[in-house]
Amino acid sequence: MMSKADFFKYTTEYISGVMSLRKPQAESLKILDKIMGSVNLAKNADLNSNLSIVNSLYPICSSFEREFMSLTFALATGVGKTRLMGAFIAYLYTQHNIRNFFVVAPGTTVYEKLKQDLGNPANPKYVFKGLGCFTSTPYIIADDDYRDKSINLALNDINIFVFNIDKFNKEESKMRDINEYLGQSFYEELAALDDLVLIMDESHHYRAKRGWSALNDLHPLLGLELTATPYVKNGAKQVNFKNVVYEYPLSAAIADGYTRTPMALTRKDIDFYNFGDNETDMLMLNDGLLNHQKVKAELQSYAQNNNLPVVKPFMLVVCKDTEHAKVIEDYIKSDDFANGDYKNKVITVHSKQSGAESDANMQLLLSVERADNPVEIVIHVNMLKEGWDVNNLYTIVPLRTAASKILREQMVGRGLRLPYGKRTGNEIVDCVVLTAHDKFDDIIREAQRGDSIFKAGNVIFAETLEKQHTEAAQITLVEAPDEEAEAVCQKLNLTPNKASYDFVKNTETQITEVMTGFLTYRENAKKSYTHNYESIKEKLKEEIVQKAKENKDLGEIFSKNEFPLAAWIDEKADKTYKQIKEKFIPIPQIKVSDSGVQEYCFVDFDLNLDEFKRFVPIENEILIQNLTDPSEMLHIKGHAIDFGGYNPLKKILAFLREKPEIDYEKCSDLLFKLISQCCAYFEDKHGENGMQNIVMMYKRNIAEIIYKQMMQHFYCDEGLIVEEVLSGRNYNLRSNYTFIKKLNLCDTFTANEVRNILFEGIKKGVFATAKFDSTPEVNFARLLERDQDVKNWLRPAAQEFKLTYNNGNQYHPDFVVETENIIYLTEVKGEDKLNDPDVIAKKKTGIRYCQIVTEWAKANGYKEWRYLFIPSQQIRSNSTFKNLAAQFTES
């Protein structure tokens, strides 16, 4: 059997790195390590002594609350408690030789999940993947294994007992029966283990008298409790846990990006106090629906642009009772609500339902994440049960409910799971919206509190929610349909009139769409453009000819005159296909075999000294306390402290060098600059002695502030080992856009509406339509359109360049610009972002890409690539692309 010496490398940092633990998970592991290194870890240890030690380290822990040392880690929903369990197990096994773990689950669903996550290496979410510390897979003992198997716990490297708390309570008496293989009961076998660690998932469920007693009787060495709600209800009173050692609230999880962002939806200038209940309900439902429809369009567009599964959103309506729910359901199913569009897309779920309706609705509720599930509105009374966390709840409409902050947070908590596992950068995809008309003032008051899940800026006004449209980018062709309609009519023996022109234009649009689709979608198996070119063309001709014959105005002409039509379609398809191929900009695809060595870098910056104002020298006073009379304390003026030989810079530096992200050799200049700025600030305000006094007393706090500011200027520089450069695609990917209105590229608009506009009328671009993120980007596109040196330009789709930076974040360049001899990968950024760490990391990735593909291009007769990084204010009405390229090319 292996000992701790065999696992010398399994430090908390190593385990955190291999398991990719998030910040709160890694911090929890560090806390456990600190406690384990301080207490007497033994079954017969003095609980009071251990509690005193833990309390001195973490004062919020005032009682273990059980008959064994039990510690609660209160982590918000969505942070990843199962993965933390795995980290705890790996740490305790490698560092403390603990081999037996009893994991308790709150319900059947979580129970089944835990068995797979902890014991099945083939499971994608297997928590021990990559660790390599177990000689064999952990032995999972669950269900009735304690009765049906010949269990010899000593034979296994590590044993993990997984039990549903309900089953555990029911089976407890059977577990106490004598087991013929063990010679004693399974319960006695567990209780006799000197290294049994109890891990309780959602531990607030296990504080009822029966469960409490049964768990105490196991006499574990240690208890680890995980919950998002560290309190229990005692009547109307909320009783907080007393054994919490770490709290990571929902507000922190939201701020750190581990969940979606809660937004509050309301209306301007309305006093809902004057509204009747029914009026408020109707308005909230219709405003909620506006948001739902906007989200639905954006999710479809995002999925198509990124080649991801479509997330079908739904809206949750919470009612005060079953009668209220029936009224709301009748309204949603009526023609008065969205013209009856949702009468077959709504279900009501509550505890008073029974029979077939209840079963059918529950099945629809449980499968609501599936794209083929028709439900888009769920009506529920009070709150859905804990554990019902879905990834597609985007709009919540609480009608006459949620009077408290806790209830609001519980409701929003049902919709915080990220559908793609991480933040996407798309504000709509990454949010959940609470319709808060009559409770909006309460939420704004909450937003001022540090622990609120809402922020004052996260407000959506219903008046700004306009109908969203979706459309794929259209290819730009040399000849517009209007210009050749008359010539085509003559060729097809058609009388030049509106019916003929409409037919020609519609047919040309269909030919363009099919040819574009054949080129741009043929790699995507989900699309229908997977046949060869000739078969696609033949099918196209059949469809158009058949449609022509059915045309009420032109059908008779085409019935007698089919051959010229088929010949023209054939000719037009070939011509269009050729034009589209010539229009596209070939994008070389890099196949990366290894991302290379990662280097952690810091952007040069100056300290924000405002954070150091609170530090002042301590008074040179000596305190003498009368031990018999606590009210008597003497203050004696002391001599000034002699700081001779004290080096404040080195003291601060010593703490900073402990940080894993800081490589002293690479950033020593920055470290000394920042520490010197800090010390100079103190010396300027308090003199040299005062500065030394402050550093001596607060050096750790000062180092933490410097470290926090450094991390705001931190990025990861990834190496790039290229296996090969694939030849450039002969097509560009089309973006699918959501928008509120269309404008010509040259039309005027306001800056705050730019993201909701689809710009059309583009002539030089690969596609005739595009969306932009800022006014400078629009101005740059206008410059490209009029510039004589620009041959072609592209607003790349999300998946056009599969480039990553900073540990896998996707980099989406702003523009590709083609001139006679060079192709420019182009970024337009505001002056305030030029030194942003994120922007610098993207720039390095873009420069590296251009260098790699240029080497390949030179060898294969293609144009070279250069990286162009343009400050937005340099784009003026009289700017030329040639001049901008000369000034701002980076490679």
Side-chain angles (χ1 to χ4, degrees), residues 535-798:
S535 67
I536 287 291
K537 198 164 61 167
E538 285 303 313
K539 185 179 179 183
L540 175 65
K541 279 194 287 188
E542 289 174 11
E543 289 179 359
I544 294 175
V545 169
Q546 183 60 35
K547 202 178 291 183
K549 290 178 180 179
E550 295 171 0
N551 187 301
K552 65 177 182 178
D553 297 313
L554 308 172
E556 186 177 342
I557 297 173
F558 283 125
S559 295
K560 299 175 182 178
N561 202 11
E562 184 175 323
F563 178 76
L565 175 61
W568 173 69
I569 295 170
D570 199 64
E571 174 191 338
K572 181 65 180 175
D574 288 340
K575 183 178 180 181
T576 302
Y577 183 74
K578 184 171 181 291
Q579 284 182 326
I580 293 171
K581 285 186 70 173
E582 290 174 350
K583 189 65 183 169
F584 286 138
I585 301 174
I587 308 291
Q589 301 299 297
I590 292 180
K591 184 178 180 182
V592 179
S593 58
D594 190 343
S595 62
V597 179
Q598 294 179 335
E599 293 188 12
Y600 298 109
C601 310
F602 291 92
V603 178
D604 186 31
F605 73 101
D606 292 318
L607 280 180
N608 174 8
L609 297 170
D610 289 342
E611 293 193 67
F612 299 95
K613 289 179 179 178
R614 60 190 174 94
F615 298 112
V616 295
I618 64 166
E619 295 292 332
N620 293 315
E621 286 190 343
I622 298 172
L623 304 182
I624 300 177
Q625 174 69 58
N626 185 332
L627 297 180
T628 60
D629 183 1
S631 66
E632 184 178 349
M633 180 179 287
L634 302 178
H635 296 250
I636 302 174
K637 197 71 176 177
H639 296 293
I641 300 172
D642 182 8
F643 291 102
Y646 185 78
N647 189 327
L649 277 75
K650 284 188 177 181
K651 295 296 181 183
I652 299 172
L653 178 62
F655 287 109
L656 290 172
R657 291 186 69 169
E658 293 177 0
K659 303 298 183 182
E661 299 88 353
I662 296 177
D663 185 332
Y664 174 72
E665 299 300 326
K666 291 181 181 175
C667 57
S668 58
D669 290 344
L670 178 62
L671 284 170
F672 278 107
K673 170 189 163 181
L674 299 178
I675 297 171
S676 297
Q677 286 180 350
C678 173
C679 291
Y681 170 77
F682 289 138
E683 188 169 350
D684 183 57
K685 287 185 64 109
H686 305 289
E688 182 179 7
N689 193 272
M691 175 269 290
Q692 291 173 322
N693 181 311
I694 290 171
V695 173
M696 185 178 77
M697 298 301 161
Y698 304 108
K699 49 188 176 291
R700 184 184 294 274
N701 305 79
I702 292 167
E704 286 297 328
I705 294 173
I706 295 175
Y707 169 67
K708 184 183 75 173
Q709 291 195 23
M710 286 182 72
M711 292 307 295
Q712 294 169 357
H713 297 82
F714 168 83
Y715 68 94
C716 175
D717 190 13
E718 297 182 358
L720 192 68
I721 299 173
V722 181
E723 187 173 86
E724 62 179 310
V725 178
L726 309 179
S727 58
R729 279 198 218 99
N730 63 350
Y731 63 92
N732 297 122
L733 300 177
R734 289 201 291 179
S735 294
N736 282 274
Y737 294 124
T738 59
F739 59 96
I740 292 175
K741 66 179 179 180
K742 283 185 178 181
L743 288 179
N744 187 279
L745 186 62
C746 296
D747 288 346
T748 57
F749 60 91
T750 59
N752 61 353
E753 65 178 346
V754 64
R755 288 172 176 263
N756 291 317
I757 299 171
L758 181 65
F759 290 92
E760 55 185 355
I762 296 169
K763 305 297 183 185
K764 277 195 175 183
V766 172
F767 297 105
T769 53
K771 279 184 70 177
F772 302 96
D773 295 323
S774 65
T775 300
E777 288 183 355
V778 178
N779 292 337
F780 186 65
R782 291 170 174 172
L783 181 154
L784 298 177
E785 282 288 286
R786 67 174 182 264
D787 195 284
Q788 60 183 7
D789 291 312
V790 174
K791 179 181 176 184
N792 204 0
W793 65 273
L794 172 70
R795 182 80 167 151

Side-chain angles (χ1 to χ4, degrees), residues 23-24 74-77 79 246-258:
K23 182 177 75 174
L75 272 68
T77 299
V79 169
Y246 179 57
E247 288 185 282
Y248 185 76
L250 190 54
S251 55
I254 293 166
D256 289 338
Y258 298 136

Side-chain angles (χ1 to χ4, degrees), residues 434-490:
L434 180 73
T435 308
H437 290 14
D438 56 337
K439 299 292 187 296
F440 186 69
D441 287 343
D442 294 342
I443 288 174
I444 291 301
R445 278 192 291 271
E446 286 172 29
Q448 312 308 316
R449 295 163 52 98
D451 63 344
S452 172
I453 66 170
F454 294 98
K455 299 299 177 190
N458 294 345
V459 177
I460 301 171
F461 291 106
E463 293 87 344
T464 66
L465 293 176
E466 299 182 47
K467 184 175 176 58
Q468 295 279 327
H469 306 278
T470 59
E471 184 177 297
Q474 303 300 310
I475 196 76
T476 303
L477 295 180
V478 176
E479 296 177 19
D482 287 336
E483 296 173 4
E484 59 173 354
E486 189 172 343
V488 173
C489 286
Q490 291 178 355

